[in-house]
Amino acid sequence: RYQRRVHGAHIRDQGNWLGLLTPTHFAAADAAMAGLLAALRPDAVALVDAFDIPDRVLNSSIGGFDGDVYNELYQAARRARMNDRDPFDGYEEALRPHLDLAFLRAGNVVPATAPSKL
């Protein structure tokens, strides 16, 4: 029952409704969609699992059957071609100028400050 309502709220983005619906209608559709998705959220995993799509087909780091999300994300990052080089292409130009290298060398430890005199 919720699925039909979500689909109905979703189709408003699929066509040219300009001139037929007012901004108030669009706001109401957005609010309805948010409410419907909140109602569906507790059943989201079961709904997706109902399709019985194998992990190898999904090819998703976060959608694995075993639920080991963080380990799979880490392994996927290790396998990614963009991580073959250390540092990665563009590091010197894009990232390094924005890093606080002293902070990183200190092990990400914020130095203790003197107590406030207030």
Side-chain angles (χ1 to χ4, degrees):
R1 133 181 154 212
Y2 287 122
Q3 294 87 338
R4 286 189 309 245
R5 290 181 187 167
V6 168
H7 178 69
H10 174 72
I11 62 169
R12 74 115 174 148
D13 293 328
Q14 304 303 310
N16 186 3
W17 297 98
L18 216 51
L20 298 174
L21 299 177
T22 67
T24 303
H25 291 122
F26 282 114
D30 288 342
M33 178 66 89
L36 291 168
L37 291 176
L40 278 173
R41 187 170 290 121
D43 299 318
V45 172
L47 288 168
V48 173
D49 285 349
F51 288 99
D52 201 23
I53 301 171
D55 289 347
R56 66 180 170 72
V57 173
L58 285 175
N59 193 24
S60 169
S61 297
I62 63 170
F65 181 75
D66 62 5
D68 193 5
V69 175
Y70 299 108
N71 185 52
E72 183 52 37
L73 283 171
Y74 176 71
Q75 295 304 324
R78 289 181 54 107
R79 291 188 302 268
R81 285 185 32 200
M82 68 180 284
N83 293 325
D84 284 347
R85 292 192 196 101
D86 186 21
F88 59 87
D89 290 340
Y91 166 79
E92 293 294 334
E93 303 82 22
L95 183 59
R96 186 169 181 169
H98 304 285
L99 294 177
D100 183 345
L101 297 176
F103 176 72
L104 294 172
R105 276 190 221 100
N108 300 336
V109 176
V110 177
T113 59
S116 174
K117 296 180 180 181
L118 295 177

